[in-house]
Amino acid sequence: MDKIVIEGGVPLSGAVAVSGSKNAALPIMMASVLTAEPVIIRNVPRLRDIATALTLLGHLGVHSRWLGDHTLELCAARIQSHEAPYELVKTMRASFFVLGPLLARTGRARVSTPGGCAIGARPVNLHIRGIRALGARVQLRHGYVEAHAERLAGARVWLDTPSVGATENIIMAATLARGRTALENAAREPEVQDLARMLNAMGAKISGAGNHVIEIEGVERLHGADHTIINDRIEAGTLMVAAAITGGDVLVRGANAEELKAAVAKLQESGVEVTPEGDGLRVRRTGAVRAVELRTLPYPGFPTDLQAQMMALLANAEGTSVITETIFENRFMHALELLRMGADIAMKGPTAVVRGVPRLCGAPVMATDLRASSSLVLAGLAAENTTEVQRVYHLDRGYEGLDSKLRSLGARIERVPDRGAS
Ligand code: UD1
């Protein structure tokens, strides 16, 4: 297993390009199951989660080939299996998103439930309620969701909470249903909008993606399409915080100001300059970091996937910040590791009170989940001396070459085999 070793204290400078969005690519890859024709997907990041999705699709009988570094062709001419096994769903929750497309295409699906994960319980009740509303017979047996439906039927579906995954699963299921589906209190994330664009390119009739109500008029069949994935707004935000935390000056190319509005607003409030430049955002900090209050919310609110990174930045602020996590119940694991680096953070329920300290100090720390691992890398960039981040496989699930991108901006960061790791 690798670890990442960082010598902190170098202000980053230069330009860096954002990769394609993991969270957009995963459901879009699952959407390939909806048609027998080949689909081409461009700007796909090369990540462990993408490899896991390809393994799952391969298991179902979907043929895949890379047409270039980031261009993928998928063809589900014949579905060979109706099952997403536990081994794959537990490795990556997004495997569960295959439920809707598989059921809609073939009339049945057997998909393992994901179980808990490091950041909280993360149930799938809304996904199941959604496909039931579309007429599927669903049973939960031996840890698997077993769903059957000759043909799904459009319906009104209300989501208790605007779950991204449930929205995506239900939209995909409804594309081939008989009649019209209205999905209310839907997630509005850019990744949902990108999925709807891909599905419409495949012949689906979806309107309202990006709003609270999404309408889907079912069609008889879908066809092949050629789609380019949006850039990864979370990777962009992470690189922006990297520039900010080191007091650097970095052009993050491909960062979309509209999609990052909440993050840009909080960075600016904390004293970081963010200005549009060319096709990206230039991030510069010359003064001190100022404390802010921050609350994670569904899009367009501040994304939970950037909360850990902002906490690393605010650990160095002048004053006391308050961070409230409203999306996941256990998403402060990184705080415990930041404490080991000299941060002053008190947690109570969903709230973390972060009293800024002048400088973090390097330490060996352990990544517990994807975004926690990037927050520890960011903290290491700003800390005195050496930080060693262990269990970086979490980082590789969701960031394409983050260490080499940071190195290209001047960071002293290296990946080395960790022989002592358990
Ligand atoms: C997606 C993202 C993840 C991000 C999250 C929130 C992907 C692959 N992952 O995850 O990076 O952190 O959105 O922006 O796109 N919930 C239920 N019942 C359900 C489904 C969800 O109660 O059936 C709850 C969850 O426990 C959580 C909240 O809804 O508290 C939001 O979760 P959700 O939006 O579903 O997250 P994911 O789609 O799993």
Side-chain angles (χ1 to χ4, degrees):
M1 209 183 291
D2 290 349
K3 66 182 174 186
I4 283 183
V5 181
I6 306 157
E7 290 292 329
V10 184
L12 301 187
S13 69
V16 65
V18 177
S19 297
S21 161
K22 165 181 90 74
N23 286 354
L26 292 172
I28 283 174
M29 288 168 71
M30 303 301 169
S32 68
V33 168
L34 287 163
T35 174
E37 294 181 17
V39 297
I40 292 176
I41 313 172
R42 300 176 194 273
N43 201 28
V44 181
R46 300 300 288 257
L47 304 168
R48 257 174 40 123
D49 273 7
I50 299 294
T52 306
L54 286 175
T55 308
L56 170 65
L57 292 170
H59 176 85
L60 302 176
V62 180
H63 287 280
S64 62
R65 65 185 173 124
W66 289 98
L67 302 180
D69 264 2
H70 295 98
T71 303
L72 191 57
E73 185 187 62
L74 297 173
C75 184
R78 228 166 47 83
I79 300 293
Q80 281 167 2
S81 162
H82 298 85
E83 183 168 311
Y86 179 56
E87 287 65 43
L88 293 173
V89 184
K90 78 167 191 230
T91 318
M92 182 185 71
R93 288 189 93 257
S95 305
F96 194 76
F97 301 176
V98 84
L99 174 68
L102 196 54
L103 177 65
R105 167 90 183 274
T106 70
R108 68 190 168 107
R110 186 170 187 268
V111 179
S112 170
T113 53
C117 89
I119 62 174
R122 301 186 84 174
V124 286
N125 57 319
L126 299 175
H127 301 238
I128 294 172
R129 211 190 294 162
I131 59 162
R132 270 202 178 119
L134 299 181
R137 299 181 301 286
V138 183
Q139 281 193 307
L140 278 157
R141 280 207 305 207
H142 311 298
Y144 279 74
V145 174
E146 296 179 356
H148 295 263
E150 217 114 282
R151 184 168 176 199
L152 296 168
R156 267 181 91 139
V157 182
W158 164 263
L159 293 181
D160 294 348
T161 182
S163 154
V164 175
T167 300
E168 293 170 339
N169 229 335
I170 295 164
I171 293 179
M172 288 192 277
T175 52
L176 292 177
R178 188 182 297 111
R180 172 179 288 257
T181 296
L183 181 56
E184 298 182 47
N185 199 25
R188 300 167 63 193
E189 269 67 1
E191 295 75 20
V192 171
Q193 299 176 40
D194 205 27
L195 173 65
R197 272 191 295 271
M198 163 70 165
L199 291 167
N200 282 341
M202 293 168 70
K205 292 190 177 153
I206 302 167
S207 57
N211 298 322
H212 291 297
V213 181
I214 300 177
E215 293 196 323
I216 307 117
E217 186 70 50
V219 296
E220 290 289 327
R221 64 182 55 79
L222 296 176
H223 51 71
D226 187 327
H227 178 80
T228 302
I229 301 278
I230 53 171
N231 285 338
D232 196 314
R233 64 192 169 103
I234 304 301
E235 187 204 9
T238 304
L239 292 166
M240 289 164 71
V241 176
I245 204 169
T246 59
D249 182 352
V250 173
L251 174 62
V252 182
R253 300 194 50 216
N256 181 318
E258 181 62 31
E259 292 173 0
L260 283 158
K261 240 184 205 165
V264 169
K266 280 299 152 187
L267 282 170
Q268 288 173 331
E269 198 184 324
S270 67
V272 180
E273 277 174 48
V274 184
T275 40
E277 192 175 305
D279 65 346
L281 292 170
R282 182 164 170 198
V283 182
R284 203 150 67 107
R285 179 172 68 82
T286 45
V289 179
R290 291 195 295 264
V292 297
E293 286 199 14
L294 177 79
R295 170 180 285 266
T296 64
L297 286 170
Y299 188 81
F302 190 92
T304 174
D305 284 351
L306 282 175
Q307 178 259 109
Q309 298 87 319
M310 276 304 277
M311 187 183 284
L313 176 68
L314 297 173
N316 284 303
E318 275 180 0
T320 300
S321 302
V322 179
I323 299 180
T324 307
E325 170 61 57
T326 76
I327 309 291
F328 294 112
E329 68 268 29
N330 191 24
R331 209 173 196 181
F332 285 144
M333 304 284 274
H334 46 281
L336 300 172
E337 299 296 304
L338 291 172
L339 289 178
R340 306 195 56 250
M341 298 178 70
D344 182 350
I345 304 169
M347 284 160 289
K348 190 149 197 263
T351 301
V353 176
V354 185
R355 290 187 193 86
V357 296
R359 192 89 199 258
L360 296 175
C361 58
V365 287
M366 183 108 81
T368 50
D369 69 66
L370 171 54
R371 305 308 169 186
S373 58
S374 64
S375 114
L376 298 174
V377 168
L378 297 177
L381 294 175
E384 275 169 359
N385 303 323
T386 310
T387 298
E388 287 185 11
V389 183
Q390 290 163 15
R391 299 205 176 160
V392 294
Y393 57 86
H394 290 295
L395 200 67
D396 296 335
R397 283 191 45 204
Y399 287 97
E400 192 177 49
L402 184 64
D403 44 330
S404 40
K405 286 189 184 182
L406 292 170
R407 200 162 39 244
S408 76
L409 298 172
R412 286 176 299 198
I413 179 167
E414 264 188 90
R415 181 182 285 257
V416 294
D418 185 5
R419 296 204 171 77
S422 57

